[in-house]
């Protein structure tokens, strides 16, 4: 389990202290090993399926900067994609603003 200060700064950085504490108590730790296993995504990249990328400006779960972060470092791997952006972080808005998250997913799949 991540220490609370790291969890708060990286995953729920837009939450109040009280909200962050509540979310920290409820979160279930995930195993880290799958994060480091190499995946063969060749078949995925060859799919003709339209792609969208939902990006929240305050998401600090990955370091930001050249070659890092969600967008454009990660999103550019998709080739052509629809970019959907919003205000929010990695975790808080799934709990506090689920309707906004649903709207962003709707926008991502609008065709």
């Amino acid at each position: 389990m991540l220490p609370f200060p790291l969890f708060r700064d990286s995953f729920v950085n837009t939450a109040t202290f009280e909200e962050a504490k509540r979310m920290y108590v409820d979160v279930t730790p995930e195993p880290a090993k799958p994060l480091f296993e190499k995946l063969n995504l060749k078949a995925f990249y060859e799919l003709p399926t339209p792609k969208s990328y939902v990006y929240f400006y305050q998401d600090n779960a990955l370091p930001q900067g050249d070659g890092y972060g969600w967008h454009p470092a990660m999103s550019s791997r998709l080739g052509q994609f629809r970019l959907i952006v919003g205000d929010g972080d990695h975790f808080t808005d799934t709990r506090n603003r689920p309707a906004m998250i649903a709207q962003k997913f709707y926008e991502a799949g609008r065709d």
Side-chain angles (χ1 to χ4, degrees):
M1 185 65 178
L2 293 174
F4 175 72
L6 181 58
F7 173 79
R8 184 174 187 209
D9 290 346
S10 298
F11 293 93
V12 295
N13 50 296
T14 63
T16 66
F17 181 81
E18 292 76 23
E19 290 171 333
K21 275 295 207 186
R22 277 196 309 273
M23 287 184 256
Y24 184 74
V25 170
D26 288 342
V27 76
T28 302
E30 294 182 36
K33 189 174 179 181
L35 297 173
F36 302 101
E37 292 179 358
K38 185 81 172 158
L39 295 175
N40 181 352
L41 296 174
K42 184 178 179 191
F44 170 78
Y45 289 124
E46 293 174 357
L47 291 173
T49 308
K51 299 170 187 80
S52 294
Y53 197 89
V54 179
Y55 173 67
F56 294 108
Y57 294 121
Q58 291 84 17
D59 190 342
N60 290 334
L62 290 179
Q64 300 301 313
D66 291 339
Y68 295 101
W70 300 112
H71 177 70
M74 294 287 189
S75 61
S76 65
R77 298 177 184 181
L78 293 174
Q80 181 178 342
F81 65 95
R82 174 182 298 133
L83 178 63
I84 306 297
V85 298
D87 287 318
D89 64 27
H90 194 78
F91 192 86
T92 305
D93 297 295
T94 61
R95 299 278 181 104
N96 293 349
R97 299 191 309 161
M100 183 275 293
I101 299 292
Q103 177 63 37
K104 294 301 177 185
F105 285 153
Y106 175 77
E107 292 170 21
R110 68 179 183 251
D111 293 342

